[in-house]
Amino acid sequence: MREPRDGTKTDRTSKSTPSPASFPLILDIDDFKGDFSFDALFGNLVNELLPSFKVEAESDGADSLPNGHMRAPSSDASKFSQTASSPLFPDVEKLLSLFKDSCKELLELRKQIDGRLYNLKKDVSVQDSKHRKTLGELEKGVDGLFDSFARLDSRISSVGQTAAKIGDHLQSADAQRETASQTIELIKYLMEFNSSPGDLMELSPLFSDDSRVAEAASIAQKLRSFAEEDIGRHGITTAVGNATASRGLEVAVANLQDYCNELENRLLSRFDAASQKRELTTMAECAKILSQFNRGTSAMQHYVATRPMFIDVEVMNADTRLVLGDQAAQASPSNVTRGLSSLYKEITDTVRKEAATITAVFPSPSEVMSILVQRVLEQRITALLDKLLVKPSLVNLPSVEEGGLLLYLRMLAVAYEKTQELARDLRAVGCGDLDVEGLTESLFSSHKDEYHEYEQASLRQLYKVKIEELRAESQISDSSGTIGRSKGASVASSQQQISVTVVTEFVRWNEEAISRCNLFSSQPATLATNVKAVFTSLLDQVSQYIADGLERARDSLTEAANLRERFVLGTSVSRRVAAAAASAAEAAAAAGESSFRSFMVAVQRSGSSVAIIQQYFANSISRLLLPVDGAHAASCEEMATAMSSAEAAAYKGLQQCIETVMAEVERLLSAEQKATDYRSPDDGMAPDHRATTACARVVAYLSRVLESAFTALEGLNKQAFLSELGNRLHKVLLNHWQKYTFNPSGGLRLKRDITEYGEFVRSFNAPSVDEKFELLGIMANVFIVAPESLSTLFEGTPSIRKDAQRFIQLREDYKSAKLASKLSSLWA
């Protein structure tokens, strides 16, 4: 920025040409370079002309507006008047002139800039043309260079292929040379072995140098293979020359076989010596060399066979003592379990240690481990199992005191389960390609083939022993409890009662047998077959036990019935005999009542036992039978068939129970019912409206004795039993009342008795029985109403006229009132 107007401007060099007016420059191009600010440019233009304004602007910067103007003061009236009288900017003319000159210089500067830009564009265009020309020439050069590289690469590839072919030919030639050299050596060695039969003394030092045993073994195996193949090729030829050649090679083969055997034995001896000293490096060297003889099979088998656990008899004896104890006959499954766990852990640890040695010594450790594990199972485990599992005879069963068949089965299960665990542990340690699980199964094949037969025989043996035990307990109880007990009371107690606990024990035996079926049966179909056979044994046991128990309970009912018949007397007996007979009849009645209760208890326990079997089948058996088509349905049918015999015994026994109850009802009615009960004298006294003594005794007896029936029976069985009992009671009462004559007051007592009987049988919940006793109440009215009202008594119930006619004949005035003729004419 230059100082204009005061005549003291500073000279400077400028590239721009002065305007024709030749006024000094105010602006310069440099003023617009860098960070241009219009405010700064404007300030530089006016600050020289307005120094006072600059000071005022700096002091009153807060009063300036954003556009550069000053705020006019508004509070001082005197200043306003002064401003109005004098101009605000006295140097405005200078500023206007300055601004006009600045605009002219700005236009001039713009022209200069435009000229420079034009010149620069021309220079850039020229340079761009030159650059494009240079780039085109470079592209042509690069394309030519690429073509040269492609030709060079093709040439290099061709030279490389030629070199590779030359290398292959050289390698092939070298291999042929090496093969020829080896062949010459082998032929030389073969001629040595072919010199004379059995002569190994003239061999090269190679075959006797212990430091070159590996090389000698390799060469001997090659010579042997070559000679054997040559013999095989010429074995079918009958020409003389070929035969002679074959005989010569046969000599070599024989000598080589002898040498290989001698070398193999020598290596095995060295291997044994190193094994005793635990020199693993020497053992590994020997094993590597021996692997050339039959793939090292002899070395592997030799190593396994020399393990102490296979050759030390004391090890075998220690196994037996550990598992069976000092006295094998007293071994228990729990002790055997602990013994097998300890022994199998020891065997696993031993095999694991051997595995470490085998891995460090043999080139093919998995094959050695396969031989080792197979030897463990076939020798050591088999020897132990032969002593542990002695299969008993199914003809002469071992006694229960000796454990019976159950002990054998439990031992078999323990041994099988633990041996399976051992097989899994050995598989984890490593056993090569050996099917250790299949081999383990084969150890028990002879036992598993007849397993289900032994299981069923064991269940039969347990059942037989249990029944004998219960029978003995019952006899002991009878002999100790009969003294001081009446004959009637001892009838029912002398019989062994069904026990749910015993049935639960049968189920527990079966559960244990099923668990063994699961253990021994790997295939679902085999498992289902065995389970079905074992469950059938349970059905036979429970069916037989329940049926026998019900039959015994029926026997007590039969014996009570025999007692009743024994004391039935005629009419013409003495008072003393009648009293004795009555006492005996009471005892027989007590025996009948006790037998009734016992049979109801037997029925209740039979139902509980059947429910236990059904629940056991649903929870444990049915799912195991599903894999075999029809097995589940067949077992359900067998279960129904097995319980049919028990159902038949229960049905017969319930019929006997009804007979027993009815017999006692008849006895009570005969003993307690008096003729005066229904024909009280007309003495002017008020009639007795209470139930008769016979009725009270019968109802009390029925309430007492049927209490056990209400508890024991359920569902349809209970309904059928009570309905039959109600019908029989109705029939007995009808027959009983036919023996008596009734007057009106007696008819009222009869009606009271019928009401008592009806209220009692209402607890049977049998509508047909309730209806019969309601009709009895209606028929009892025939004794109460006047003769002339009888015709209208049954107008609403014509179905009971026949029974009503029989009742009417029992009226005291039946003959005197000539009711027979009246009713016959009326009903006709």
Side-chain angles (χ1 to χ4, degrees):
M1 184 68 65
R2 298 302 178 190
E3 299 295 335
R5 310 304 174 192
D6 59 355
T8 59
K9 63 180 179 53
T10 303
D11 293 334
R12 65 180 180 85
T13 302
S14 176
K15 293 182 180 180
S16 60
T17 303
S19 65
S22 300
F23 51 81
L25 293 175
I26 299 172
L27 300 174
D28 192 87
I29 292 176
D30 293 337
D31 295 335
F32 298 92
K33 293 181 180 179
D35 297 332
F36 174 76
S37 173
F38 178 79
D39 293 338
L41 177 66
F42 182 81
N44 291 333
L45 287 173
V46 301
N47 284 345
E48 297 298 332
L49 295 176
L50 300 174
S52 60
F53 179 79
K54 175 182 179 182
V55 173
E56 184 178 354
E58 291 175 353
S59 60
D60 298 334
D63 292 334
S64 61
L65 294 173
N67 59 5
H69 296 102
M70 298 296 293
R71 291 187 179 88
S74 59
S75 62
D76 195 340
S78 62
K79 283 185 177 182
F80 177 78
S81 62
Q82 184 180 357
T83 303
S85 63
S86 62
L88 182 60
F89 296 105
D91 296 327
V92 65
E93 295 296 333
K94 296 179 180 180
L95 290 174
L96 288 174
S97 177
L98 175 63
F99 290 157
K100 291 179 180 179
D101 294 340
S102 298
C103 288
K104 293 179 180 179
E105 291 187 8
L106 284 173
L107 293 173
E108 186 65 26
L109 288 175
R110 187 175 69 178
K111 292 179 180 179
Q112 294 177 10
I113 295 302
D114 290 341
R116 289 183 184 183
L117 287 175
Y118 176 75
N119 293 333
L120 287 173
K121 287 182 179 179
K122 289 176 64 178
D123 293 341
V124 168
S125 177
V126 172
Q127 293 297 328
D128 182 64
S129 298
K130 293 180 180 180
H131 178 67
R132 291 178 182 274
K133 183 178 180 181
T134 304
L135 284 179
E137 294 174 353
L138 287 175
E139 287 179 355
K140 293 180 180 179
V142 169
D143 292 339
L145 184 60
F146 281 162
D147 292 339
S148 298
F149 278 141
R151 289 192 298 272
L152 180 60
D153 181 68
S154 175
R155 181 60 179 168
I156 290 173
S157 177
S158 176
V159 172
Q161 291 177 0
T162 302
K165 291 179 180 179
I166 294 172
D168 292 339
H169 287 304
L170 291 175
Q171 185 177 4
S172 176
D174 183 69
Q176 291 176 3
R177 183 189 62 81
E178 184 67 25
T179 302
S181 177
Q182 292 179 1
T183 303
I184 292 172
E185 290 291 328
L186 291 176
I187 291 173
K188 183 181 71 172
Y189 294 140
L190 183 60
M191 291 174 63
E192 293 179 5
F193 280 100
N194 199 33
S195 59
S196 59
D199 185 9
L200 302 177
M201 301 301 295
E202 300 297 330
L203 298 177
S204 298
L206 168 66
F207 298 102
S208 58
D209 189 354
D210 289 342
S211 62
R212 302 175 65 185
V213 173
E215 183 181 358
S218 177
I219 291 175
Q221 286 298 317
K222 291 180 180 178
L223 293 174
R224 185 178 171 187
S225 299
F226 173 77
E228 289 178 349
E229 289 178 4
D230 185 75
I231 292 175
R233 287 195 302 269
H234 297 83
I236 60 174
T237 305
T238 58
V240 176
N242 289 340
T244 304
S246 296
R247 285 197 297 271
L249 292 181
E250 288 175 356
V251 172
V253 169
N255 288 337
L256 284 168
Q257 182 65 51
D258 293 340
Y259 174 77
C260 289
N261 292 339
E262 185 272 333
L263 180 59
E264 187 174 6
N265 292 332
R266 184 160 28 118
L267 288 170
L268 288 175
S269 299
R270 186 186 301 179
F271 183 87
D272 287 340
S275 176
Q276 294 176 2
K277 298 177 182 179
R278 297 293 298 172
E279 296 177 354
L280 299 183
T281 303
T282 304
M283 293 173 64
E285 293 175 356
C286 295
K288 184 177 181 181
I289 299 172
L290 286 168
S291 64
Q292 301 181 40
F293 299 97
N294 298 324
R295 299 180 58 189
T297 303
S298 59
M300 299 176 190
Q301 294 177 346
H302 180 77
Y303 175 80
V304 171
T306 55
R307 296 306 88 203
M309 61 177 165
F310 300 131
I311 60 177
D312 192 349
V313 178
E314 183 57 31
V315 173
M316 304 296 179
N317 295 333
D319 292 349
T320 304
R321 288 194 301 271
L322 180 59
V323 176
L324 298 178
D326 296 331
Q327 296 179 344
Q330 297 179 358
S332 64
S334 59
N335 293 336
V336 170
T337 301
R338 289 191 293 270
L340 285 175
S341 297
S342 300
L343 175 61
Y344 287 171
K345 183 178 183 302
E346 175 188 340
I347 291 175
T348 304
D349 293 340
T350 302
V351 172
R352 186 176 288 109
K353 293 178 182 178
E354 292 292 344
T357 302
I358 290 170
T359 303
V361 170
F362 289 94
S364 302
S366 61
E367 296 182 15
V368 186
M369 288 300 298
S370 176
I371 297 173
L372 176 64
V373 172
Q374 183 176 359
R375 187 71 175 268
V376 167
L377 293 175
E378 290 181 348
Q379 180 175 332
R380 193 170 180 184
I381 303 303
T382 301
L384 176 65
L385 294 179
D386 290 342
K387 295 179 181 179
L388 176 63
L389 302 176
V390 179
K391 185 184 292 187
S393 171
L394 290 176
V395 178
N396 298 318
L397 302 181
S399 64
V400 177
E401 291 75 13
E402 298 176 353
L405 291 177
L406 182 61
L407 178 61
Y408 162 73
L409 291 171
R410 287 176 174 174
M411 290 290 194
L412 178 61
V414 167
Y416 182 81
E417 184 175 12
K418 290 299 177 182
T419 306
Q420 288 287 344
E421 292 178 3
L422 172 64
R424 290 191 290 270
D425 293 341
L426 293 178
R427 169 66 69 186
V429 173
C431 56
D433 297 331
L434 178 67
D435 182 11
V436 63
E437 289 81 7
L439 181 57
T440 304
E441 286 288 333
S442 67
L443 300 180
F444 294 89
S445 59
S446 61
H447 298 278
K448 293 174 64 177
D449 290 342
E450 301 176 348
Y451 156 71
H452 68 279
E453 297 178 7
Y454 278 86
E455 197 71 78
Q456 290 177 295
S458 173
L459 292 173
R460 289 193 296 269
Q461 184 183 37
L462 291 173
Y463 177 78
K464 180 180 179 181
V465 172
K466 186 64 179 179
I467 295 302
E468 291 175 354
E469 176 186 338
L470 293 174
R471 197 169 295 156
E473 291 176 357
S474 177
Q475 291 176 355
I476 294 174
S477 176
D478 290 346
S479 61
S480 60
T482 302
I483 301 175
R485 192 165 58 202
S486 64
K487 176 66 176 177
S490 66
V491 171
S493 62
S494 63
Q495 300 295 336
Q496 172 193 335
Q497 187 59 274
I498 295 174
S499 172
V500 177
T501 304
V502 173
V503 175
T504 304
E505 188 172 2
F506 294 163
V507 174
R508 182 175 55 80
W509 296 342
N510 206 262
E511 285 178 334
E512 181 180 345
I514 294 297
S515 67
R516 286 191 288 268
C517 289
N518 277 303
L519 181 63
F520 294 137
S521 304
S522 57
Q523 298 298 324
T526 305
L527 174 62
T529 301
N530 291 337
V531 166
K532 184 175 180 295
V534 171
F535 182 67
T536 301
S537 296
L538 174 65
L539 293 178
D540 294 340
Q541 292 174 355
V542 175
S543 173
Q544 185 66 37
Y545 177 71
I546 292 176
D548 290 346
L550 292 173
E551 288 296 335
R552 288 192 297 270
R554 282 188 59 213
D555 291 342
S556 66
L557 290 170
T558 302
E559 188 174 349
N562 294 334
L563 287 176
R564 291 194 303 271
E565 294 176 0
R566 192 179 306 169
F567 299 106
V568 174
L569 301 177
T571 55
S572 58
V573 293
S574 64
R575 187 185 300 274
R576 181 177 179 181
V577 173
S583 177
E586 289 287 346
E593 185 174 345
S594 178
S595 300
F596 181 91
R597 290 197 180 95
S598 296
F599 189 83
M600 287 301 170
V601 170
V603 171
Q604 181 182 18
R605 293 179 179 179
S606 298
S608 300
S609 300
V610 172
I612 290 174
I613 300 302
Q614 292 173 339
Q615 187 69 26
Y616 171 62
F617 177 79
N619 294 341
S620 303
I621 302 300
S622 60
R623 58 183 176 84
L624 301 177
L625 300 176
L626 295 178
V628 177
D629 294 339
H632 186 276
S635 291
C636 292
E637 184 177 353
E638 287 181 3
M639 187 159 49
T641 303
M643 298 306 163
S644 61
S645 59
E647 292 176 355
Y651 176 78
K652 294 178 181 178
L654 291 175
Q655 291 292 334
Q656 286 182 274
C657 286
I658 293 175
E659 296 294 339
T660 299
V661 170
M662 289 300 100
E664 178 61 14
V665 167
E666 290 177 355
R667 189 190 71 82
L668 290 174
L669 290 174
S670 299
E672 302 296 336
Q673 198 79 69
K674 303 295 189 293
T676 56
D677 289 342
Y678 300 124
R679 194 173 60 180
S680 55
D682 190 9
D683 53 3
M685 297 181 63
D688 189 355
H689 296 291
R690 296 175 300 173
T692 62
T693 302
C695 174
R697 289 286 303 276
V698 168
V699 171
Y701 167 75
L702 290 174
S703 300
R704 184 176 67 253
V705 76
L706 291 182
E707 182 179 354
S708 59
F710 282 109
T711 304
L713 300 177
E714 296 178 351
L716 297 177
N717 293 331
K718 180 179 181 179
Q719 181 179 357
F721 175 79
L722 293 177
S723 296
E724 179 65 18
L725 184 66
N727 291 329
R728 290 290 301 278
L729 177 63
H730 175 267
K731 184 177 181 180
V732 167
L733 290 175
L734 279 177
N735 294 334
H736 170 69
W737 288 326
Q738 293 295 325
K739 302 174 184 177
Y740 299 92
T741 303
F742 299 84
N743 60 13
S745 59
L748 291 175
R749 293 203 72 180
L750 175 63
K751 194 172 182 65
R752 177 61 181 172
D753 286 354
I754 293 174
T755 302
E756 289 292 326
Y757 291 127
E759 290 179 356
F760 174 74
V761 298
R762 197 169 292 117
S763 63
F764 292 0
N765 290 325
S768 61
V769 176
D770 294 341
E771 183 181 358
K772 287 185 177 182
F773 277 88
E774 289 174 1
L775 294 177
L776 278 179
I778 295 174
M779 286 193 298
N781 292 327
V782 301
F783 303 121
I784 301 172
V785 300
E788 57 273 13
S789 301
L790 288 174
S791 59
T792 60
L793 190 61
F794 304 105
E795 289 180 355
T797 55
S799 60
I800 62 172
R801 284 183 178 180
K802 184 177 180 180
D803 291 332
Q805 187 175 3
R806 293 166 56 194
F807 263 49
I808 292 173
Q809 294 176 5
L810 302 178
R811 284 175 62 106
E812 186 180 30
D813 59 350
Y814 180 75
K815 293 182 179 180
S816 61
K818 298 180 180 179
L819 293 178
S821 58
K822 292 180 180 180
L823 291 177
S824 61
S825 61
L826 178 63
W827 286 344

